[in-house]
Structures are given as structure tokens and as C-alpha cells.
Amino acid sequence: MKILVFNGSPKRDKSDTMHITRAFLDGMNECSENEIKIIDVIDKHIEYCTGCFTCMHNGGTCIHNDDMRAILEEILESDVLIFSFPLYCYGMPAPLKALLDRTLPLSSMAMQKVGDRYEHVGQADYSKLRYVMICGCGFPNSTHNFEPAVKQFELCFPNSRTVITVPESPMFNAPEAAVVTVPRLELVKKAGKEYAKAGSVSADLIAEIGTPMIPEEQYAQIVNAGA
């Protein structure tokens, strides 16, 4: 299986969320052979989409000649796309959002009704693709935090998607928190195994992964003490 990971954190491999993503990939690798490529989006030259729609009229060629052209080719050659990012203002960091905007060349101006909404007709066949969102945040719980990012992901990828969200994620970069982070990463690894076998993760496991690792009040006190 060919897996393309978009690391949306400006911290690159020091990202809190990448601890979660690496555990997920470890679980997948225990069940199957995978070709994995990780792209640190912050290091790529990706211009902002201008909304000119040239790409949607001319077969998919963008007016910008930057790194996004090669990334689009890699997307089409992949089986799974993993969007790994920390929560920024209840959404994804700007570099990753710019990348997502620039996937417009995969669509045409033509629209079709799918269910109760309209979608653009693709200019390329990416029906085999599956999508995973892995997102961590620094708040002590998931309520009223991840919802905007999750909704955007659901609308962008209405089919074959899996969403994993984890609060208190800065603890993954704190060695002294290993007593709670290691067991949580084992759950994420289990999720990776399930995904490799079935192409999905059980709702119960996703819910368990998304619970606080330590009591919310205790986490808030720790953060506030260092503020």
C-alpha cells in the first residue's frame, strides 16, 4: 500500500501530532507492507490558490509552477492520504490549508448532484483513495474544539475517510508523561492495525483514543503553571 502523509505542523518531526501519526503507521506496518512518504508541508513551495479556475478548464494545469505539481502526481499514485496536523484556530495550519486549496486541479467546473448536495466532477480518477485525518490539540478535552476541522474534512472527503482526534497532545513531547502517553499510543497503534486490516477503525476505539489522558482540571493546572 502506498501511503502519503502530509505533516501540517511547522514543527516538522517534533510535532506533537506526529507522535500519534507514527504510532498509527507502526500499527499499519505490523499488518502489511507499506510504502510511506512523509511530506513536511512547511518546507514545500506552495503558492496560494488565486481562484482563477484556469486548472478546472484546461485539464488540470495550475498557473503556478511550484511544488504542488509534483505533489498532485504523488496524490494520484497513492492509496491512502494521511493529513496529520495540530489544531490551529479550530482548523488546520495555513501551509496545509494552502495545499488542500491547491488540489483544485483534480476537479472540473462541471457539477453533479451526489445525495443532497452538489460536487465538482473530477478531472482525474482518484476513486481508490482513502483519507485519514489525525489531529491533536492542546486543550484538555475534545468538546467544542475539533468540530470545525472535522466538518471541513468530512465535506472535502465524503467517502472512505477516518478521523482521529486527540486532546492534551503536547504531553506526547513530555518524557515525564510517558505513564499516560505510552498506553495512548498503543491504542493508536491498535487503530492502525484495524485500519490496515479493514480500511476503517471502530467507533469505540476512536472514542477511547479521543478521551483525556489525565483529568481535565489537572491538565489545565499543569499548563497554567507553566504559562
Side-chain angles (χ1 to χ4, degrees):
M1 189 180 300
K2 198 166 185 177
I3 303 170
L4 184 59
V5 181
F6 294 122
N7 176 14
S9 173
K11 296 178 182 177
R12 301 175 178 85
D13 63 342
K14 293 182 174 62
S15 161
D16 302 329
T17 306
M18 277 302 294
H19 286 276
I20 308 166
T21 301
R22 283 190 288 265
F24 188 82
L25 292 170
D26 286 345
M28 290 191 69
N29 285 335
E30 285 194 7
C31 295
S32 60
E33 286 190 21
N34 300 295
E35 178 184 340
I36 299 170
K37 180 172 182 178
I38 299 174
I39 293 178
D40 293 323
V41 180
I42 192 69
D43 292 329
K44 294 299 181 180
H45 175 204
I46 300 175
E47 295 285 346
Y48 296 122
C49 177
T50 66
C52 68
F53 302 125
T54 299
C55 64
M56 302 179 83
H57 289 288
N58 68 5
T61 302
C62 181
I63 60 169
H64 297 304
N65 185 12
D66 57 11
D67 291 337
M68 197 62 205
R69 291 192 178 186
I71 291 173
L72 286 174
E73 292 179 5
E74 292 185 90
I75 287 174
L76 293 174
E77 293 170 359
S78 300
D79 300 299
V80 178
L81 302 183
I82 297 180
F83 292 79
S84 172
F85 61 93
L87 198 66
Y88 274 31
C89 292
Y90 308 102
M92 59 182 63
L96 184 57
K97 180 57 167 61
L99 183 150
L100 186 60
D101 290 344
R102 289 285 307 284
T103 61
L104 202 62
L106 299 177
S107 301
S108 68
M109 288 299 295
M111 299 181 186
Q112 61 184 358
K113 193 169 187 180
V114 179
D116 58 357
R117 73 170 191 159
Y118 282 87
E119 298 176 358
H120 286 289
V121 177
Q123 293 195 94
D125 182 10
Y126 45 89
S127 57
K128 69 169 184 172
L129 277 171
R130 290 186 285 153
Y131 311 91
V132 179
M133 168 182 156
I134 299 177
C135 184
C137 81
F139 289 118
N141 61 30
S142 299
T143 305
H144 303 308
N145 290 321
F146 292 110
E147 291 90 343
V150 171
K151 177 54 69 174
Q152 181 184 48
F153 197 77
E154 290 174 348
L155 290 171
C156 288
F157 309 110
N159 303 307
S160 304
R161 67 172 182 271
T162 297
V163 175
I164 295 174
T165 58
V166 185
E168 303 179 341
S169 63
M171 290 203 298
F172 292 113
N173 266 324
E176 61 273 23
V179 65
V180 292
T181 58
V182 170
R184 185 56 49 95
L185 292 176
E186 284 299 315
L187 288 178
V188 177
K189 190 175 179 180
K190 180 180 177 182
K193 292 179 183 178
E194 281 192 15
Y195 190 82
K197 292 177 180 178
S200 62
V201 182
S202 70
D204 287 345
L205 181 54
I206 287 177
E208 186 176 4
I209 291 171
T211 59
M213 289 176 278
I214 63 175
E216 298 175 18
E217 296 79 7
Q218 180 185 358
Y219 176 85
Q221 288 174 357
I222 294 171
V223 172
N224 290 339

